[in-house]
Amino acid sequence: MSKTIAINAGSSSLKWSLYTMPQEEVLASGIVERIGLNDSIFTIKYNDGEKFKQTVDIDDHEVAVEMLLKQLKELNILSDYNEITGVGHRVVAGGEIFKDSALVTDEVIQQIEDLSEFAPLHNPANATGIKAFRKILPDITSVAVFDTSFHQTMPKVNYLYSIPMEYYEKHNARRYGAHGTSHKYVSQRAAELLGKPIEETKIITCHLGNGASITAVDGGKSVDTSMGFTPLAGVTMGTRSGDIDPSLLPFLMEKEGIESINDMIYILNNESGLKGLSGISSDMRDLEDVETTNEKAELALRIFEDRVRKYIGSYAATMNGVDAIVFTAGIGENGSDTRKNVIDGLTFLGAEIDDEKNNVRGKERDLSAENSKVKVFLIPTDEEVMIARDVEKFRNS
């Protein structure tokens, strides 16, 4: 029996889960928030309901890792650091270099940092987390797991943009997608629920949260996905615009006196989506609370559902069929109204939802109506266990 820790490091946070492997039992999980800021928040959940929480200044990720390991011993979750035999790190952008997870080396860390131009908010933080663990636990199996790897199976017809080919050949300008670890997990689980080998399935996975993406999974492989060169593309999101006509940008910049393209991109990333449309909030729950009395909130919700529905329809065409539609992530797992409204517009595919089954939050369930020709599933995502599984592959190889 080994113990593997899955790490998701953000610019000021470090989320983690500790597993016994290969049993995949969660021993503890938690998050360190506000790293590098005053009053950092340090939380550990363990023993089926017990919780440790502390507010303390944490200067950097290395200090956060030191505190985490120390606290795991003090809570008797670990008796010795050496019990941890593997660590897996989520990395957002792997570019075209990483078509699968990779054993961490000095070269791999440098490549992750070099790929920061594709994910400037994420890759530097991911690399920082890797280096912090490597300094304290240098001898354990350390693996980088890339969000983009699952989408490396997309054919050129789907990942290339219709721009001069030299931009791709010289600068790797193409669609990369995101949320790959989540899409991979729920599609594999959906195949199990269908009772079919994944190689014989056509599945559309809807990772709907503050960030949202839709993926066409044909035979277990991603063949198309809604996010693009960056996570800004695709469906309407919490604060991101999703797809937009590029010619609109200089028009708005001139009309609004926006001086730089970076300022415009900031607006598309942070002030748009549900937040921009409603003028109220990026949180679906806030909009649902007032949708009957606030026209903009109601419109924002309908636009979100419309964009999701359009991608599902297009991906059914891409794969020439669909066996299952899967909802996951924060909105997908908890938004019963969203799920119903999306599926109610897809009856032409043969997809129908059962209202009673759909009255559920965060629990795996077949939501399909009895006569539905396409299965509709709610499957809570588990990116951390996918990371732990990849660590085990390297540890046992």
Side-chain angles (χ1 to χ4, degrees), residues 91-132:
V91 181
V92 169
E96 291 196 319
I97 298 174
F98 297 101
K99 300 186 185 304
D100 206 340
S101 299
L103 195 66
V104 171
T105 63
D106 290 339
E107 181 184 9
V108 167
I109 293 173
Q110 184 60 57
Q111 289 171 318
I112 290 170
E113 292 176 330
D114 291 344
L115 288 164
S116 292
E117 62 182 337
F118 296 107
L121 298 179
H122 296 91
N123 269 41
N126 301 152
T128 298
I130 292 172
K131 288 188 281 190

Side-chain angles (χ1 to χ4, degrees), residues 342-378:
V342 168
I343 296 300
D344 280 354
L346 295 169
T347 54
F348 74 98
L349 291 177
E352 296 187 45
I353 201 165
D354 183 295
D355 290 345
E356 185 174 341
K357 292 178 182 177
N358 188 42
N359 186 22
V360 63
R361 292 168 59 89
K363 294 182 180 180
E364 182 176 284
R365 183 175 292 182
D366 181 346
L367 309 176
S368 315
E370 188 174 346
N371 59 343
S372 182
K373 296 177 182 178
V374 174
K375 286 292 186 180
V376 182
F377 293 128
L378 186 168

Side-chain angles (χ1 to χ4, degrees), residues 180-197:
T181 307
S182 175
H183 289 294
K184 183 178 182 180
Y185 174 82
V186 298
S187 60
Q188 290 179 353
R189 182 62 188 140
E192 292 173 4
L193 295 175
L194 287 168
K196 298 170 67 174

Side-chain angles (χ1 to χ4, degrees), residues 158-169:
N158 290 336
Y159 74 67
L160 285 178
Y161 291 113
S162 302
I163 55 178
M165 184 62 80
E166 63 183 287
Y167 295 158
Y168 167 66
E169 295 170 342

Side-chain angles (χ1 to χ4, degrees), residues 70-176:
K70 180 181 178 182
Q71 200 60 51
L72 289 175
K73 284 183 66 175
E74 290 186 4
L75 295 173
N76 295 317
I77 298 167
L78 294 175
S79 58
D80 190 278
Y81 294 161
N82 292 327
E83 290 180 32
I84 300 178
T85 54
V87 56
H89 298 271
R90 179 210 180 198
V91 181
V92 169
E96 291 196 319
I97 298 174
F98 297 101
K99 300 186 185 304
D100 206 340
S101 299
L103 195 66
V104 171
T105 63
D106 290 339
E107 181 184 9
V108 167
I109 293 173
Q110 184 60 57
Q111 289 171 318
I112 290 170
E113 292 176 330
D114 291 344
L115 288 164
S116 292
E117 62 182 337
F118 296 107
L121 298 179
H122 296 91
N123 269 41
N126 301 152
T128 298
I130 292 172
K131 288 188 281 190
F133 263 91
R134 206 163 179 236
K135 183 172 182 179
I136 297 168
L137 298 172
D139 298 324
I140 66 173
T141 302
S142 181
V143 176
V145 180
F146 298 89
D147 275 8
T148 52
S149 291
F150 183 56
H151 301 305
Q152 285 294 301
T153 54
M154 286 191 292
K156 283 187 175 182
V157 69
N158 290 336
Y159 74 67
L160 285 178
Y161 291 113
S162 302
I163 55 178
M165 184 62 80
E166 63 183 287
Y167 295 158
Y168 167 66
E169 295 170 342
K170 290 166 60 178
H171 309 298
N172 294 321
R174 51 160 286 182
R175 180 183 305 278
Y176 288 102

Side-chain angles (χ1 to χ4, degrees), residues 185-257:
Y185 174 82
V186 298
S187 60
Q188 290 179 353
R189 182 62 188 140
E192 292 173 4
L193 295 175
L194 287 168
K196 298 170 67 174
I198 196 167
E199 294 78 13
E200 299 175 10
T201 62
K202 299 177 186 290
I203 299 169
I204 297 172
T205 51
C206 305
H207 180 106
L208 306 181
N210 189 54
S213 62
I214 320 297
T215 295
V217 185
D218 194 348
K221 296 180 179 180
S222 170
V223 294
D224 207 350
T225 193
S226 60
M227 284 182 169
F229 179 70
T230 74
L232 179 56
V235 301
T236 301
M237 296 173 241
T239 63
R240 298 177 209 159
S241 65
D243 295 337
I244 193 169
D245 182 348
S247 296
L248 183 59
L249 305 189
F251 172 83
L252 291 176
M253 290 172 69
E254 181 179 350
K255 296 293 185 181
E256 293 290 320

Side-chain angles (χ1 to χ4, degrees), residues 275-288:
K275 180 181 178 182
L277 287 166
S278 69
I280 297 172
S281 174
S282 62
D283 194 308
M284 182 77 68
R285 293 165 295 187
D286 294 338
L287 304 187
E288 288 175 338

